[in-house]
Amino acid sequence: MTTIDLNSDLGESYGRYTLGKDAEIIKLVTSVNVACGFHAGDPDVMAKTVAEANAAGVAVGAHPGYHDLQDFGRRYMALPPAEVQHMITYQVGALQAFLGAGHHLHHVKPHGALYNAAAKDHDLALAICRGIQVVDPTIPIYGLAHSQLIVAAKEVGLPYAQEVFGDRNYLADGSLVPRSQANAVITDPEVIAKRTVAMIQNQAVTAIDGSTVALTTDTVCVHGDNQAALAIVARLVQELQTDHVGLKAF
């Protein structure tokens, strides 16, 4: 049976602001990417999300991003590679601390603008990988399939998983359609479910120009901040079961 890791970006509430339906989504996915306080999240939310994931037997990963609460980490910042490396180490180390002694992070997945920029910028991707290695060189990075994040991970010997998105549209070069465009995000649970299964079965996706983009699908992401996230995950899990695709953390 084919198996896939289903991940979701969670722990993105902070202070008096609540975002997403984390407790319900955690029960359906196999791994979670927990915000580390820079683009979203705070120490209390980090602790709560880690505890809920551990209780559900779900793999816990760090989700570091740009220091950008105002724009949810979706604003590109031109930072020196050394600064990016330290920023990653800081956030990954913080989340690792919430797992406690004897427990280790399952993976690291960069967030938002940082993730998308590193998909094309090799130096930025290397800085992220090296920032992870400072904390623990055995922690895999989740990166956009066939992107510079994967190239950089191979270069420095960091484990990696190639990620695809069921709820995002793709450009012909394999990158995600920018959120500034109206057709960037898909919200229909039925469309996402069918599209994701096709991506897994075909190891490819149809870009917005109609071309076919080859993919490697180690893990599939559904964004937790999507208003329909819970319905999307539930429908996707149902479709995967129907098509005999098992769920297992990477």
Side-chain angles (χ1 to χ4, degrees), residues 28 37 98 103 124 130 137 162 164 188 196 211 235 246:
L28 298 173
F98 282 104
H103 298 277
L124 182 60
R130 287 169 176 153
Q162 304 208 51
V164 300
D188 186 324
T196 302
S211 63
R235 179 66 189 93

Side-chain angles (χ1 to χ4, degrees), residues 1 4-5 17 28 39 47 49 55 61 73 84 90 96 119 131 137 143-144 159 161 178 223 239 243 248 250:
M1 173 188 288
I4 194 72
D5 174 47
Y17 301 102
L28 298 173
H39 78 275
T49 308
V84 171
Y90 182 93
Q96 170 66 65
L144 186 66
H223 288 93
E239 186 68 23
D243 288 271
K248 183 180 180 180
F250 172 76

Side-chain angles (χ1 to χ4, degrees), residues 54 58 108 134 158 192 195 209 212 240:
N54 285 341
V58 172
V108 174
V134 171
L158 185 70
I192 293 169
R195 176 183 176 86
D209 68 351
T212 298
L240 291 170

Side-chain angles (χ1 to χ4, degrees), residues 21 24-25 28 222-224 226-235:
K21 298 181 178 179
E24 294 91 340
I25 291 174
L28 298 173
V222 175
H223 288 93
N226 187 319
Q227 290 299 313
L230 181 57
I232 289 169
V233 174
R235 179 66 189 93

Side-chain angles (χ1 to χ4, degrees), residues 3-226:
T3 60
I4 194 72
D5 174 47
L6 181 60
N7 77 74
S8 190
D9 305 337
L10 302 180
E12 293 177 324
S13 302
Y14 61 94
R16 66 196 306 177
Y17 301 102
T18 301
L19 181 66
K21 298 181 178 179
D22 291 11
E24 294 91 340
I25 291 174
I26 283 173
K27 298 173 184 177
L28 298 173
V29 298
T30 51
S31 64
V32 294
N33 319 303
V34 182
C36 303
F38 271 34
H39 78 275
D42 63 30
D44 292 335
V45 173
M46 292 164 71
K48 181 175 183 290
T49 308
V50 168
E52 290 177 344
N54 285 341
V58 172
V60 176
H63 199 34
Y66 285 127
H67 205 170
D68 179 27
L69 283 176
Q70 289 179 310
D71 202 30
F72 198 65
R74 290 179 175 156
R75 174 169 39 193
Y76 172 71
M77 297 181 177
L79 303 176
E83 188 172 334
V84 171
Q85 178 178 326
H86 299 155
M87 181 178 72
I88 295 298
T89 298
Y90 182 93
Q91 293 178 76
V92 173
L95 191 65
Q96 170 66 65
F98 282 104
L99 285 169
H103 298 277
H104 300 280
L105 281 176
H106 179 263
H107 65 276
V108 174
K109 174 187 168 181
H111 167 80
L114 179 63
Y115 180 99
N116 290 324
K120 296 183 177 182
D121 185 330
H122 186 66
D123 289 341
L124 182 60
L126 281 174
I128 292 171
C129 290
R130 287 169 176 153
I132 296 169
Q133 288 181 311
V134 171
V135 180
D136 184 344
T138 68
I139 300 175
I141 186 170
Y142 281 16
L144 186 66
H146 305 303
S147 71
Q148 288 301 313
L149 278 168
I150 303 303
V151 173
K154 292 177 180 179
E155 184 175 325
V156 301
L158 185 70
Y160 61 87
Q162 304 208 51
E163 183 177 40
V164 300
F165 293 81
D167 57 3
R168 292 292 303 275
N169 273 314
Y170 280 75
L171 296 174
D173 66 356
S175 62
L176 303 177
V177 174
R179 285 180 178 269
S180 57
Q181 296 186 23
N183 61 345
V185 180
I186 304 169
T187 58
D188 186 324
E190 188 66 25
V191 172
I192 293 169
K194 298 293 186 183
R195 176 183 176 86
T196 302
V197 169
M199 293 166 79
I200 296 168
Q201 292 176 337
N202 302 327
Q203 296 291 290
V205 68
T206 300
I208 58 171
D209 68 351
S211 63
T212 298
V213 178
L215 298 173
T216 299
T217 55
D218 295 322
T219 183
V220 176
C221 175
V222 175
H223 288 93
D225 63 302
N226 187 319

